[in-house]
Amino acid sequence: MASTTLRPPATSPVTREHRGSVLVVTVDNAPVNALSADVRRGLADAIEAAQADSAVAAVLLVGAGRTFIAGADIREFGKPPELPSLPDVCNRIEASAKPVVATIHGTALGGGLEIALAAHYRIAVPSAKLGLPEVSLGLIPGAGGTQRTPRLVGVAAALDLMLSGRPVDASQALALGLIDRLGQSEDALGEGLAYALALLAEGALPRRTRDARAALADRDAQRAALDAARKDVTTKQRGLFSPGKIVDAVEASLEQPFDKGLRLERELFLQCIDSPQRAGLIHAFFAEREVLKAPETRAAKPRAIASAGIVGGGTMGAGIAVAMLDAGLQVTMVERDEASLERGRANVAKVYDALVAKGRMSADARAQVLSRFGGSTDYAAFAQTDLVVEAVFEDMAVKKAVFAELDRVCKRGAVLATNTSYLDIDEIAASVSRPGDVLGLHFFSPANIMKLLEIVVPAQVSADVVATGFELAKKCAKVPVRAGVCDGFIGNRILAVYRQAADHMMEDGASPYQIDRALREFGFPMGPFQVSDLAGGDIGWATRKRRAATRDPRVRYVQIADRLCERGWFGQKTGRGYYLYPAGARTGSEDPQVLAIVDAERRRAGITPRSFDDEEIVRRYMAAMINEGANVVHQRIALRPLDVDVVFLSGYGFPRHRGGPMKYADMVGLPEVLADIRKFAKEDPLFWQPSPLLVELVGRGADFDSLNKS
Ligand code: 3HC
Ligand code: NAI
């Protein structure tokens, strides 16, 4: 077959090549072939050139490298738009007088799939994934996706794709009618060419998705799917802006002519682009990728990790063991005696048993995973282990004794990690002969489920050990955030402060139930008092008692939690805490006795209760969180504000559409946050000390985001 390459505008990321009568149009815009302005121009030019070129009978669209097209260029959102627009490019593709075929490998997401839907025929290789993930960025498909998808697959399947944002694989796409053919091999170009030639041989003509009718024929079924989705959106995706707009746009595909539907889609898409939720969600998307770029991951290569050791088989040790097993590692657990080891093993097995019972794992797969899991009461079992995580009691003496053992038995070059929540990791590191190998790996409970992993970096650790922590996170599908050593690192340190703000409000007059409700309304899945009940009040109580002797007497100390703990009301595990959990219920009900205790404590403290509205509750809670977040950045415990955001998004249920506490602060406006803090400081200047970083940023008119870019 004759082949000539034309590379119009010298630097265009879209190339054209004649393969016989087929013009192969390749998008080459690494890493994911996003549809930036010059890609859009290149595609539009290629389609135009194909019309004018008598040697071309059909056009084949293909992606270079690892993927087809992953969507619009997210970095362009919020900037002045450049022509041609993506909807326009899609319309030009669809209007082509010569058949256009899209051949898909890797991912066809968002605008990438919309390009394919505007083409006349679609083929995908077996491993390809296709989806419309715009909703996860606070958007709706904005280049015809809301109008073309229902015309191909019907309203129910289209809404499912758009509202879940989940991609489907190529065979599902074929079954849905999203593509016309499944390739036999992974060679997208070869498969696409063969398909294009077969279509030409059949005399196939352009077949425009806008004209497709069959999938919408049963109007009653479409209407029912639409109504069901509208109802679902108001409950399951409550508070989110774009899901309702998706339903509106899809409704137009059913009720309106195509061009009118497109116009409405554009209007709704632009509303979403302008929404703060879009800004928050896109910030979250990039922040989760930026956290991977810590100085040590740039400077050093990770050490090889094939095997892991865990000391302690309690809540955390067992969860960490599961996370490591799921990552494919060989895992050895060491406990202090046989009985504890048995308990540890059982804790691990229990996780897989539950999966088997729910039909989410086969018994064989369970056996396979557990064949990589061993246990011992002898540290010598760690002699050849690449990385060990200690998860024993939160007690410096116990931790040091464990590290002395690890120092004795572990091979040179093994990474020695602690899962401590609060203890000084510099002190632990200084107690062994190889402090360069010691770091903190702070998992969150349940460790096999929670995404966040704080990589805590003590002073003497070597860069490749830190890089190994990040590599381990990747293997375990965790979101790693680099943190410095301090009391509570990033997350728990900030939590301690805003949790106090919540306690102050409770003592001053807000009920714990009102506070929880206000914060759920803000977007948290649970309020702080529900979280206490879930985690168990006893842990915090033990810490408070330990610290009682050294507590600054000037600091306001709310005793309500202590009164509950003294009664043995630790939360869900004891059937009551702030809430009542009759007969093991997971959702609590309000408890008048708790309110009576709160009242009594107010009287004891000499406080006349006042009323709070929900807005004030959120303002105080957020101001406390933001102010301590600023301190954590100021002291370089977090590298950038975005690291704080990712900690809260992936470890503390912070509503993703608000972008994280620091992004939220930027959106509210730092002067406003600082003014709140100064106002609150009039009542309690010790608690409400404005962070020097916040003061500085307000002073020079800058925001937190300006520090993300440095
Ligand atoms: N625009 C700009 N940059 C993008 C991008 C996009 N759509 N998608 C990914 N990138 C960047 C990432 O930020 C990252 O940059 P970095 O290396 O500088 O940090 C790089 O590409 C590689 O991305 P990942 O690290 O995420 O690579 P993976 O291989 O793990 O994942 C992916 C690839 C599945 C494509 C994933 O990047 C992804 O999900 N991207 C977003 C897809 C998406 O949401 N598309 C819809 C966009 S909205 C749209 O199309 C609107 C339209 O309807 C009008
Ligand atoms: P846990 O009490 O459930 O488990 C501790 C385990 O360590 C017990 O099984 C005990 O037998 C074992 N152990 C004690 N001394 C040992 C020794 N010398 N050698 C071997 N095993 C020994 O405690 P949990 O909750 O799992 O906490 C462990 C660590 O993880 C603590 O440092 C804690 O601060 C930290 N952490 C806890 C979180 C939580 O939510 N529970 C979250 C993040 C960190």
Side-chain angles (χ1 to χ4, degrees), residues 633 641 662-671 693-694 696-710:
V633 174
M662 312 313 265
K663 179 68 184 176
Y664 173 76
D666 277 353
M667 291 202 266
V668 168
L670 299 192
L693 178 63
L694 186 57
E696 182 210 316
L697 289 172
V698 171
R700 57 186 173 88
D703 61 6
F704 285 128
D705 201 39
S706 63
L707 305 177
N708 289 330
K709 297 183 177 97
S710 54

mmCIF file of all heavy atoms in Angstrom, residues 633 641 662-671 693-694 696-710:
data_model
loop_
_atom_site.group_PDB
_atom_site.id
_atom_site.type_symbol
_atom_site.label_atom_id
_atom_site.label_comp_id
_atom_site.label_asym_id
_atom_site.label_seq_id
_atom_site.Cartn_x
_atom_site.Cartn_y
_atom_site.Cartn_z
ATOM 1 N N VAL A 633 1.782 24.450 56.422
ATOM 2 C CA VAL A 633 2.550 24.804 55.222
ATOM 3 C C VAL A 633 3.701 25.743 55.609
ATOM 4 O O VAL A 633 4.844 25.565 55.167
ATOM 5 C CB VAL A 633 1.642 25.491 54.163
ATOM 6 C CG1 VAL A 633 2.459 25.992 52.976
ATOM 7 C CG2 VAL A 633 0.551 24.525 53.697
ATOM 8 N N PRO A 641 0.227 24.062 49.848
ATOM 9 C CA PRO A 641 -1.177 23.962 50.257
ATOM 10 C C PRO A 641 -1.888 22.768 49.612
ATOM 11 O O PRO A 641 -2.733 22.132 50.239
ATOM 12 C CB PRO A 641 -1.772 25.286 49.771
ATOM 13 C CG PRO A 641 -0.620 26.237 49.772
ATOM 14 C CD PRO A 641 0.573 25.427 49.378
ATOM 15 N N MET A 662 -7.679 24.243 51.593
ATOM 16 C CA MET A 662 -6.913 25.417 51.162
ATOM 17 C C MET A 662 -7.499 25.998 49.880
ATOM 18 O O MET A 662 -7.553 27.214 49.693
ATOM 19 C CB MET A 662 -5.427 25.057 50.972
ATOM 20 C CG MET A 662 -4.810 24.284 52.131
ATOM 21 S SD MET A 662 -5.175 24.993 53.749
ATOM 22 C CE MET A 662 -3.728 25.984 54.018
ATOM 23 N N LYS A 663 -7.956 25.111 49.001
ATOM 24 C CA LYS A 663 -8.626 25.583 47.783
ATOM 25 C C LYS A 663 -9.928 26.294 48.160
ATOM 26 O O LYS A 663 -10.263 27.335 47.602
ATOM 27 C CB LYS A 663 -8.918 24.386 46.867
ATOM 28 C CG LYS A 663 -9.633 24.739 45.584
ATOM 29 C CD LYS A 663 -8.738 25.548 44.652
ATOM 30 C CE LYS A 663 -9.458 26.003 43.408
ATOM 31 N NZ LYS A 663 -8.613 26.860 42.574
ATOM 32 N N TYR A 664 -10.618 25.711 49.135
ATOM 33 C CA TYR A 664 -11.868 26.316 49.594
ATOM 34 C C TYR A 664 -11.574 27.736 50.130
ATOM 35 O O TYR A 664 -12.305 28.684 49.841
ATOM 36 C CB TYR A 664 -12.493 25.437 50.669
ATOM 37 C CG TYR A 664 -13.714 26.050 51.326
ATOM 38 C CD1 TYR A 664 -14.933 26.074 50.665
ATOM 39 C CD2 TYR A 664 -13.634 26.614 52.593
ATOM 40 C CE1 TYR A 664 -16.050 26.650 51.249
ATOM 41 C CE2 TYR A 664 -14.744 27.189 53.192
ATOM 42 C CZ TYR A 664 -15.952 27.207 52.524
ATOM 43 O OH TYR A 664 -17.047 27.780 53.095
ATOM 44 N N ALA A 665 -10.492 27.859 50.892
ATOM 45 C CA ALA A 665 -10.125 29.168 51.453
ATOM 46 C C ALA A 665 -9.884 30.173 50.333
ATOM 47 O O ALA A 665 -10.341 31.314 50.397
ATOM 48 C CB ALA A 665 -8.881 29.033 52.323
ATOM 49 N N ASP A 666 -9.183 29.731 49.291
ATOM 50 C CA ASP A 666 -8.942 30.629 48.156
ATOM 51 C C ASP A 666 -10.258 31.061 47.532
ATOM 52 O O ASP A 666 -10.407 32.204 47.099
ATOM 53 C CB ASP A 666 -8.104 29.916 47.084
ATOM 54 C CG ASP A 666 -6.606 29.958 47.396
ATOM 55 O OD1 ASP A 666 -6.220 30.648 48.353
ATOM 56 O OD2 ASP A 666 -5.838 29.287 46.670
ATOM 57 N N MET A 667 -11.203 30.124 47.459
ATOM 58 C CA MET A 667 -12.466 30.463 46.796
ATOM 59 C C MET A 667 -13.304 31.424 47.653
ATOM 60 O O MET A 667 -13.960 32.312 47.140
ATOM 61 C CB MET A 667 -13.229 29.193 46.433
ATOM 62 C CG MET A 667 -12.521 28.419 45.331
ATOM 63 S SD MET A 667 -13.597 27.305 44.411
ATOM 64 C CE MET A 667 -13.368 25.791 45.261
ATOM 65 N N VAL A 668 -13.233 31.229 48.968
ATOM 66 C CA VAL A 668 -13.951 32.145 49.869
ATOM 67 C C VAL A 668 -13.259 33.506 49.846
ATOM 68 O O VAL A 668 -13.895 34.558 49.907
ATOM 69 C CB VAL A 668 -13.959 31.581 51.307
ATOM 70 C CG1 VAL A 668 -14.417 32.615 52.311
ATOM 71 C CG2 VAL A 668 -14.852 30.344 51.380
ATOM 72 N N GLY A 669 -11.936 33.466 49.755
ATOM 73 C CA GLY A 669 -11.132 34.692 49.804
ATOM 74 C C GLY A 669 -10.358 34.732 51.117
ATOM 75 O O GLY A 669 -10.972 34.725 52.194
ATOM 76 N N LEU A 670 -9.036 34.781 51.035
ATOM 77 C CA LEU A 670 -8.241 34.758 52.268
ATOM 78 C C LEU A 670 -8.517 35.958 53.178
ATOM 79 O O LEU A 670 -8.536 35.800 54.408
ATOM 80 C CB LEU A 670 -6.743 34.636 51.961
ATOM 81 C CG LEU A 670 -6.315 33.371 51.204
ATOM 82 C CD1 LEU A 670 -4.794 33.210 51.223
ATOM 83 C CD2 LEU A 670 -6.970 32.120 51.759
ATOM 84 N N PRO A 671 -8.762 37.151 52.639
ATOM 85 C CA PRO A 671 -9.052 38.270 53.556
ATOM 86 C C PRO A 671 -10.285 37.974 54.416
ATOM 87 O O PRO A 671 -10.317 38.326 55.595
ATOM 88 C CB PRO A 671 -9.312 39.448 52.610
ATOM 89 C CG PRO A 671 -8.583 39.097 51.352
ATOM 90 C CD PRO A 671 -8.667 37.604 51.238
ATOM 91 N N LEU A 693 1.477 32.760 57.954
ATOM 92 C CA LEU A 693 1.413 32.619 56.488
ATOM 93 C C LEU A 693 0.135 33.260 55.938
ATOM 94 O O LEU A 693 0.164 33.944 54.914
ATOM 95 C CB LEU A 693 1.466 31.139 56.085
ATOM 96 C CG LEU A 693 1.368 30.879 54.577
ATOM 97 C CD1 LEU A 693 2.542 31.496 53.828
ATOM 98 C CD2 LEU A 693 1.291 29.388 54.272
ATOM 99 N N LEU A 694 -0.954 33.056 56.654
ATOM 100 C CA LEU A 694 -2.219 33.642 56.210
ATOM 101 C C LEU A 694 -2.118 35.170 56.222
ATOM 102 O O LEU A 694 -2.521 35.849 55.265
ATOM 103 C CB LEU A 694 -3.340 33.154 57.140
ATOM 104 C CG LEU A 694 -4.770 33.523 56.779
ATOM 105 C CD1 LEU A 694 -5.128 33.040 55.395
ATOM 106 C CD2 LEU A 694 -5.738 32.927 57.807
ATOM 107 N N GLU A 696 0.558 36.952 55.985
ATOM 108 C CA GLU A 696 1.479 37.389 54.931
ATOM 109 C C GLU A 696 0.791 37.369 53.553
ATOM 110 O O GLU A 696 0.893 38.323 52.782
ATOM 111 C CB GLU A 696 2.700 36.449 54.922
ATOM 112 C CG GLU A 696 3.741 36.833 53.897
ATOM 113 C CD GLU A 696 4.502 35.621 53.378
ATOM 114 O OE1 GLU A 696 4.889 34.748 54.189
ATOM 115 O OE2 GLU A 696 4.682 35.546 52.141
ATOM 116 N N LEU A 697 0.081 36.290 53.279
ATOM 117 C CA LEU A 697 -0.577 36.182 51.973
ATOM 118 C C LEU A 697 -1.618 37.287 51.791
ATOM 119 O O LEU A 697 -1.695 37.909 50.729
ATOM 120 C CB LEU A 697 -1.235 34.803 51.807
ATOM 121 C CG LEU A 697 -0.268 33.626 51.620
ATOM 122 C CD1 LEU A 697 -1.019 32.299 51.659
ATOM 123 C CD2 LEU A 697 0.505 33.750 50.305
ATOM 124 N N VAL A 698 -2.389 37.535 52.832
ATOM 125 C CA VAL A 698 -3.400 38.587 52.730
ATOM 126 C C VAL A 698 -2.698 39.931 52.528
ATOM 127 O O VAL A 698 -3.108 40.755 51.699
ATOM 128 C CB VAL A 698 -4.314 38.605 53.978
ATOM 129 C CG1 VAL A 698 -5.211 39.833 53.980
ATOM 130 C CG2 VAL A 698 -5.163 37.331 54.033
ATOM 131 N N GLY A 699 -1.586 40.110 53.243
ATOM 132 C CA GLY A 699 -0.833 41.371 53.152
ATOM 133 C C GLY A 699 -0.368 41.654 51.741
ATOM 134 O O GLY A 699 -0.360 42.805 51.291
ATOM 135 N N ARG A 700 0.027 40.597 51.011
ATOM 136 C CA ARG A 700 0.504 40.897 49.655
ATOM 137 C C ARG A 700 -0.499 40.495 48.578
ATOM 138 O O ARG A 700 -0.164 40.333 47.397
ATOM 139 C CB ARG A 700 1.878 40.277 49.403
ATOM 140 C CG ARG A 700 2.010 38.796 49.595
ATOM 141 C CD ARG A 700 3.485 38.380 49.451
ATOM 142 N NE ARG A 700 3.668 36.973 49.788
ATOM 143 C CZ ARG A 700 3.537 35.992 48.926
ATOM 144 N NH1 ARG A 700 3.188 36.218 47.691
ATOM 145 N NH2 ARG A 700 3.737 34.727 49.317
ATOM 146 N N GLY A 701 -1.745 40.317 49.012
ATOM 147 C CA GLY A 701 -2.817 40.067 48.034
ATOM 148 C C GLY A 701 -2.673 38.760 47.283
ATOM 149 O O GLY A 701 -3.145 38.629 46.158
ATOM 150 N N ALA A 702 -2.014 37.784 47.902
ATOM 151 C CA ALA A 702 -1.818 36.504 47.210
ATOM 152 C C ALA A 702 -2.758 35.439 47.790
ATOM 153 O O ALA A 702 -3.415 35.666 48.812
ATOM 154 C CB ALA A 702 -0.364 36.051 47.370
ATOM 155 N N ASP A 703 -2.823 34.293 47.128
ATOM 156 C CA ASP A 703 -3.658 33.206 47.645
ATOM 157 C C ASP A 703 -2.802 31.953 47.863
ATOM 158 O O ASP A 703 -1.612 31.935 47.527
ATOM 159 C CB ASP A 703 -4.859 32.934 46.727
ATOM 160 C CG ASP A 703 -4.434 32.512 45.324
ATOM 161 O OD1 ASP A 703 -3.218 32.314 45.095
ATOM 162 O OD2 ASP A 703 -5.309 32.385 44.454
ATOM 163 N N PHE A 704 -3.401 30.914 48.434
ATOM 164 C CA PHE A 704 -2.652 29.673 48.672
ATOM 165 C C PHE A 704 -2.167 29.067 47.359
ATOM 166 O O PHE A 704 -1.088 28.498 47.282
ATOM 167 C CB PHE A 704 -3.517 28.656 49.418
ATOM 168 C CG PHE A 704 -3.709 28.967 50.879
ATOM 169 C CD1 PHE A 704 -4.977 29.022 51.441
ATOM 170 C CD2 PHE A 704 -2.614 29.199 51.703
ATOM 171 C CE1 PHE A 704 -5.154 29.296 52.791
ATOM 172 C CE2 PHE A 704 -2.774 29.476 53.060
ATOM 173 C CZ PHE A 704 -4.053 29.525 53.596
ATOM 174 N N ASP A 705 -3.021 29.181 46.328
ATOM 175 C CA ASP A 705 -2.665 28.534 45.068
ATOM 176 C C ASP A 705 -1.342 29.056 44.509
ATOM 177 O O ASP A 705 -0.624 28.331 43.824
ATOM 178 C CB ASP A 705 -3.806 28.715 44.056
ATOM 179 C CG ASP A 705 -3.726 27.675 42.956
ATOM 180 O OD1 ASP A 705 -3.398 26.508 43.276
ATOM 181 O OD2 ASP A 705 -3.967 28.013 41.782
ATOM 182 N N SER A 706 -1.014 30.324 44.828
ATOM 183 C CA SER A 706 0.248 30.867 44.317
ATOM 184 C C SER A 706 1.433 30.063 44.867
ATOM 185 O O SER A 706 2.492 30.006 44.254
ATOM 186 C CB SER A 706 0.373 32.341 44.693
ATOM 187 O OG SER A 706 0.421 32.480 46.106
ATOM 188 N N LEU A 707 1.248 29.424 46.025
ATOM 189 C CA LEU A 707 2.341 28.625 46.610
ATOM 190 C C LEU A 707 2.390 27.215 46.012
ATOM 191 O O LEU A 707 3.366 26.497 46.170
ATOM 192 C CB LEU A 707 2.166 28.518 48.126
ATOM 193 C CG LEU A 707 2.039 29.840 48.876
ATOM 194 C CD1 LEU A 707 1.798 29.595 50.357
ATOM 195 C CD2 LEU A 707 3.293 30.676 48.685
ATOM 196 N N ASN A 708 1.329 26.798 45.353
ATOM 197 C CA ASN A 708 1.329 25.486 44.716
ATOM 198 C C ASN A 708 2.213 25.476 43.491
ATOM 199 O O ASN A 708 2.663 24.428 43.044
ATOM 200 C CB ASN A 708 -0.094 25.094 44.285
ATOM 201 C CG ASN A 708 -0.971 24.776 45.482
ATOM 202 O OD1 ASN A 708 -0.464 24.316 46.509
ATOM 203 N ND2 ASN A 708 -2.261 25.016 45.355
ATOM 204 N N LYS A 709 2.419 26.658 42.940
ATOM 205 C CA LYS A 709 3.120 26.724 41.653
ATOM 206 C C LYS A 709 4.618 26.819 41.843
ATOM 207 O O LYS A 709 5.372 26.662 40.914
ATOM 208 C CB LYS A 709 2.604 27.910 40.851
ATOM 209 C CG LYS A 709 1.116 27.701 40.532
ATOM 210 C CD LYS A 709 0.542 28.795 39.666
ATOM 211 C CE LYS A 709 -0.908 28.475 39.331
ATOM 212 N NZ LYS A 709 -1.869 29.151 40.226
ATOM 213 N N SER A 710 5.063 27.064 43.079
ATOM 214 C CA SER A 710 6.505 27.272 43.258
ATOM 215 C C SER A 710 7.241 25.940 43.274
ATOM 216 O O SER A 710 6.671 24.916 43.529
ATOM 217 C CB SER A 710 6.747 28.016 44.549
ATOM 218 O OG SER A 710 6.126 27.327 45.605
#
